Amino acid sequence: MTRQNDTKPMLILIAGPYASGTGGDPARMRRNLDRLEEAAWPIFQAGHIPMIGEWVALPVLSSAGASGSSDPLAADVMYPTAQRLLQHCDAVLRLPGESRGADQDVAIAEQLGLPVYASVSEIPLRRGEP
């Protein structure tokens, strides 16, 4: 990891497959979320704040009375949550794997002029952090 000149921690959206390729199977979706969450600790260790859209979207769905990410309401919550979050993020980490939502996240990040990292090792270390 390289050093970052700024001392402010970045809010980094972790983008990758969640529902893609799962056929709606909750166990496979959980494994995908686990894979996204594996990137959270290294981002935090680099002095930044990890964020995953599902960490916000799934509780929103639940509080709206939806049965989960396969509920029809999910289309009105899942992608829009990531789009709203990106307005507050400083960067995106795009993990490997086919995902229309993650590809949308990258496109939005690029429109906003945010850096998009393909690996945790590309994320700059925050000055003063280990």
Side-chain angles (χ1 to χ4, degrees):
M1 291 185 194
T2 59
R3 289 246 171 233
Q4 177 187 358
N5 292 330
D6 191 18
T7 58
K8 179 184 170 214
M10 290 189 292
L11 180 62
I12 301 176
L13 183 72
I14 303 168
Y18 171 64
S20 297
T22 65
D25 178 5
R28 291 173 71 191
M29 293 167 75
R30 180 68 236 179
R31 282 193 299 274
N32 280 347
L33 185 56
D34 289 345
R35 189 170 147 261
L36 294 169
E37 290 178 347
E38 286 173 6
W41 176 242
I43 290 171
F44 187 81
Q45 280 186 304
H48 304 294
I49 304 163
M51 176 54 66
I52 297 173
E54 286 76 14
W55 287 347
V56 177
L58 293 174
V60 169
L61 273 175
S62 177
S63 68
S67 59
S69 59
S70 60
D71 190 282
L73 186 57
D76 296 330
V77 174
M78 299 300 282
Y79 293 140
T81 296
Q83 291 169 349
R84 291 178 190 183
L85 274 173
L86 280 163
Q87 303 302 313
H88 301 278
C89 289
D90 301 297
V92 171
L93 172 64
R94 175 56 163 103
L95 298 180
E98 192 172 319
S99 170
R100 185 177 54 135
D103 291 344
Q104 286 179 352
D105 295 344
V106 167
I108 293 168
E110 289 172 343
Q111 289 172 358
L112 295 171
L114 303 178
V116 177
Y117 304 109
S119 167
V120 170
S121 65
E122 296 176 1
I123 297 171
L125 290 174
R126 189 172 140 237
R127 187 186 338 255
E129 292 293 326

